[in-house]
Amino acid sequence: MPTPTPPLIADLQAHPAEADRLMLAACAELRAHPSAPTPPDPAALRAGLARIADSSQEVVLQRLLDDAPLGAATDGLAALLRPPELAWDEAQEIDWAVRHWQACRAAGLLDEDLAADFGDYWRRLEWSAVRQHLALLGQGHAEERRLLARIAKTSSRYVALGLLKRAMEARYPEFFDLGFSLR
């Protein structure tokens, strides 16, 4: 799974006013040296899902695994935009994602379908992030609350993740009662 380097995370935390410059440079590096797609680890996803629901989440697991080959183009950016240690406003995430998507399109780095529709690109990015967050959650990551909040937000947005949302609502209703913040 691609992850931002610790020095980048440290720079972003130490210099929030420089976030735009740092993220654009990281996105340019990602385009220049894309990582080879790696399939998600079903056991890691299953471990993350088990932290959310006692009952089997096989349907959700299968949807996330089926989407994974399509999400490979967004895995690196998902890791950059939504690392466990940091959170930005969604408008800022979308701004960085649009600029990265446009640069990838111009460089011919995306397949025809993905290059044609930013909405599909954004959905794939969010699903990539959910897979990454579930894997980290299954490992018992220190930023568990932020990971859970992001999973709750994304699962609320997509009908195909409705089972995950319902499981989250049952186990972690605080993320749905009055809204939540990733900060």
Side-chain angles (χ1 to χ4, degrees):
M1 167 190 335
T3 57
T5 64
L8 174 61
I9 296 296
D11 279 350
L12 287 165
Q13 289 172 325
H15 309 287
E18 296 291 314
D20 193 57
R21 181 186 62 76
L22 292 167
M23 286 299 289
L24 292 177
C27 286
E29 181 68 20
L30 184 62
R31 287 189 303 276
H33 301 99
S35 60
T38 57
D41 178 3
L45 292 176
R46 193 172 279 115
L49 287 167
R51 301 280 307 263
I52 294 170
D54 295 331
S55 62
S56 173
Q57 288 285 323
E58 290 301 315
V59 172
V60 174
L61 175 65
Q62 195 58 52
R63 285 187 179 147
L64 290 170
L65 291 173
D66 289 347
D67 183 73
L70 301 175
T74 57
D75 287 348
L77 187 59
L80 280 176
L81 294 183
R82 296 188 178 170
E85 303 86 358
L86 299 170
W88 292 279
D89 292 333
E90 188 174 63
Q92 180 62 72
E93 291 177 347
I94 291 171
D95 178 63
W96 285 326
V98 166
R99 290 193 266 172
H100 181 71
W101 174 74
Q102 289 171 333
C104 286
R105 281 179 16 163
L109 298 175
L110 300 174
D111 66 47
E112 187 176 312
D113 291 336
L114 199 53
D117 184 4
F118 177 75
D120 189 37
Y121 184 83
W122 181 252
R123 182 199 63 79
R124 290 183 193 183
L125 185 146
E126 288 203 297
W127 283 46
S128 291
V130 165
R131 282 190 295 277
Q132 293 169 12
H133 295 152
L134 284 170
L136 292 170
L137 189 62
Q139 297 167 13
H141 197 280
E143 292 290 339
E144 178 178 292
R145 299 297 292 171
R146 184 173 288 147
L147 295 171
L148 288 168
R150 287 180 170 158
I151 294 167
K153 185 175 182 178
T154 303
S155 67
S156 295
R157 190 171 298 183
Y158 300 99
V159 172
L161 297 177
L163 290 173
L164 180 58
K165 177 186 181 256
R166 287 191 289 283
M168 292 280 305
E169 285 176 318
R171 185 130 185 203
Y172 301 101
E174 65 271 23
F175 291 118
F176 299 91
D177 289 341
L178 299 174
F180 53 85
S181 172
L182 296 176
R183 295 181 184 224

